[in-house]
Amino acid sequence: MAEVEETLKRIQAHKGVIGTIVVNAEGIPIRTTLDSSTTVQYAGLLHQLTMKARSTVRDIDPQNDLTFLRIRSKKHEIMVAPDKEYLLIVIQNPSE
Amino acid sequence: MEIVYVYTKKRSEFGRQCNFSDKPAELHVDILPDPSLTDNFIDRDPCDVAIQCTQEMSEHEVNTERFDCEPCGINHVEGGWPKDVNSQEMEQTIRYRKKVEKDENYVNTLMQLGSHMEHCIRQNNTIDIYQEYFEEEEIVEEMEGQPSAKTVNVFRDPNEVKRTATSLSWHPDGSCKLAVAYSSMEFQKVTKDMSYDSYIWDLENTNKPEMTLKPVSPLVCLEYNPKDSHILIGGSYNGQIAYWDTRKGSQPVEMSAVEHSHRDPVYKVIWLQSKTGTDSFSASTDGQVLWWDIRKMSEPTERLVLDPSKKGNLDNALGAFSLEFETTMPTKFMVGTEQGVVVSCNRKAKTPAEKIVCTYSGHYGPIYALQRNPFFPKNFLTVADWTARIWSEDIRDSSIMWTKYHMAYLSDGCWSPARPSVFFTVKMDGTLDIWDFLFKQNDPTLSLKVCDEALYSLRVQDNGRFLGCGSQLGTATLLEISSGLCTLQKNEKALATAMFERETKREKILEACHREMRLKERSRSEQSKEDEAKDGEAEESAEELVACAEREFYEVVEAEMKKRGKDDKKEKEKYEGKDGCKEKES
């Protein structure tokens, strides 16, 4: 339990990180550092996108699986680390 | 009932059975080729034979039926919570979350994901993978070979009875909206069910106009206020001016009083540059140019009668068809008239007589469009009858450059705001011409057929890339032109300046020559008049001139014929000579 806290705190402390969200398989945000409405939006949208990305990868090669998803936009980068049951989402503003 | 016929024959009567046997080949007939027959034929060498080996295909066009769609939004609500947890209750959700966090699987997963994530975060922070390495080097844009234009969108008049799209105006900020004025320009063709509405279209949505403007009488011209993008001013068919505020709805906020408005349709209304941003002026074929302040529309602030004799006589006045106003020269403005004359006026003149500064004549028909070049305000473009002409302010008698006479009437034109040498014209046969006089002077650089019906109006957006044209059936077409025609080329300003100066100088020289000739003629005729002191009546000298001209003409014709006769004779002699030579040789 404490390690989890420590890990999340460390991630949040990195340079440029705007927010961290942990989402479970149903799309419910478990842990978040952003405000509730933004969290709900990110959780819902990214959950679906990750599902889609994963199914795409597996469609092309069934032995393959999605390990990481990075969306780079004009303003920041959204990184999603997927797992069977949970989703770790970090929004970071890259070096520039 | 069965029809049966029985046929009996004895076997012995059948005849002998076939008995085949082998025999060697026997030549029965042998027809040998007869070479004398070849005389009836001529050998053809070589023979041309056309063969084609392709698949047979047929062409078929399909267009789906239009369907109306409407955009609508969705509201997201939080969900996914299990049935026993009420998402609104803070306590329950917190309890649920805490429960999840205690799960061992959660802990393990998160540790693993966390380390992975940290790696990527650190990666991001170390190096910027999208860094531009050679940003300082200028990207040299190559000229894509052909200038081109393509239709982006088409906005059709939603009413049953189609009216002409007589005027277009782009929204001043960002140009995402286009205001189009619809009216029927044909005399007495207005039917009872013809709607008076004009529309503001959003460029993305071609199905339905964004806003409707409902005037009392159809609008002939419509302009957005460049200072306040919610205000539009429109001139209507019955001569009134009205202005709208898009925040206040479809009805005009105020209309000018009928007694003080124009007596003919208002063909052009333009906003003026003023501190309050509420001044505008309008022109109509009744011969007046009126100035308005939209805060007080009951009567115009100023009036000018376009009387070339400068007496303010309305009967003598020229009907105005187009107006021109350049914000960099706020005291001057120009009016294009029905009679083909451009009148240049000064707003700040003390007396009405001084208001009209000078006139430029040279067109044969009403001047539909008049605009100064945005880069060279001393030169302006007029579009009328079958030509478009470019004038210089200094030369009064003729234009410095003109296009050839086209087959169809030109109905509108304007300069490109991005390039000084490019201008656009539209014609009554539905074509849009894009002219670039630094590239080609005889013909348009690009000529596009936009639609089958006549095009009546044209407006270029401020970035020079998009333009809208309105047609007779109320269709406003939005076109995008290729970047070559809307990006400033290197040296273009210098070349355009040089061209304008050259043409202006040429015209000046011609004008000077003409003046000299006229002076000579006048002095000669004056001398001859003094000689014939008694017969000094204007009419008789005119008749004499006519007779003189006829005589000269016939003399010239006869001289030509004689010359031709001599030439023919010479030709004949040449041939005879040649034949003679041949005969001598052979």
Side-chain angles (χ1 to χ4, degrees), chain A residues 4 7 10 14-15 28-31 40 68 70 72 77 79 81-83 85-86 88 90 92 95-96, chain B residues 78 80-81 97 100-101 103 105-107 109-111 113 117-118 120-121 123-125 128-130:
Chain A
V4 171
T7 312
R10 211 177 45 235
H14 270 291
K15 184 177 110 166
I28 303 172
I30 307 289
R31 209 58 185 313
V40 166
F68 205 79
R70 268 169 131 162
R72 195 138 181 154
E77 179 160 346
M79 292 179 275
D83 180 73
E85 280 200 34
Y86 300 95
L88 174 61
V90 172
Q92 187 193 20
S95 41
E96 74 276 9
Chain B
E78 191 173 327
W81 293 100
R97 287 204 177 99
V100 172
E101 281 178 359
D103 187 12
N105 193 11
Y106 173 80
V107 175
T109 317
L110 220 50
M111 295 310 294
L113 294 178
M117 181 64 80
E118 266 193 283
C120 291
I121 292 177
Q123 223 178 30
N124 267 345
N125 281 334
D128 175 16
I129 60 176
Y130 293 110

Side-chain angles (χ1 to χ4, degrees), chain B residues 531-548:
Chain B
D531 293 341
E532 325 161 349
K534 300 262 168 83
D535 303 86
E537 277 187 43
E539 275 183 6
E540 275 186 43
S541 66
E543 279 184 15
E544 255 187 48
L545 283 172
V546 168
C548 187

Side-chain angles (χ1 to χ4, degrees), chain B residues 398-509:
Chain B
S398 78
S399 48
I400 59 173
M401 294 199 267
W402 55 90
T403 65
K404 60 174 188 218
Y405 280 89
H406 296 274
M407 297 303 286
Y409 224 68
L410 265 73
S411 49
D412 202 354
C414 58
W415 289 101
S416 163
R419 287 187 60 184
S421 63
V422 172
F423 65 93
F424 307 92
T425 54
V426 282
K427 303 213 283 275
M428 296 295 247
D429 60 358
T431 48
L432 163 75
D433 290 327
I434 305 179
W435 301 78
D436 178 355
F437 57 73
L438 287 180
F439 178 68
K440 208 181 347 173
Q441 279 99 29
N442 300 340
D443 291 311
T445 307
L446 181 61
S447 185
L448 270 177
K449 189 147 177 71
V450 174
C451 51
D452 290 325
E453 63 267 12
L455 284 172
Y456 269 93
S457 56
L458 171 70
R459 193 57 88 89
V460 185
Q461 204 195 35
D462 292 326
N463 61 11
R465 199 171 186 128
F466 287 96
L467 49 91
C469 21
S471 78
Q472 199 174 14
L473 293 179
T475 311
T477 313
L478 181 66
L479 291 125
E480 180 182 352
I481 53 176
S482 62
S483 52
L485 287 168
C486 56
T487 41
L488 202 60
Q489 311 288 326
K490 345 174 218 172
N491 288 357
E492 186 168 340
K493 274 205 186 154
L495 287 170
T497 319
M499 175 148 248
F500 279 133
E501 274 175 28
R502 204 170 49 229
E503 300 298 322
T504 316
K505 214 164 63 160
R506 175 181 61 89
E507 280 303 318
K508 265 200 207 139
I509 295 175

Side-chain angles (χ1 to χ4, degrees), chain A residues 17-67:
Chain A
V17 172
I18 299 172
T20 315
I21 309 173
V22 179
V23 185
N24 81 342
E26 271 103 46
I28 303 172
I30 307 289
R31 209 58 185 313
T32 171
T33 60
L34 300 166
D35 59 284
S36 127
S37 51
T38 321
T39 306
V40 166
Q41 221 177 1
Y42 269 110
L45 293 166
L46 285 167
H47 190 247
Q48 290 180 38
L49 184 63
T50 316
M51 292 296 116
K52 191 73 179 180
R54 178 180 275 141
S55 71
T56 309
V57 170
R58 294 193 79 142
D59 263 351
I60 296 171
D61 180 7
Q63 319 293 29
N64 210 351
D65 195 7
L66 179 72
T67 50

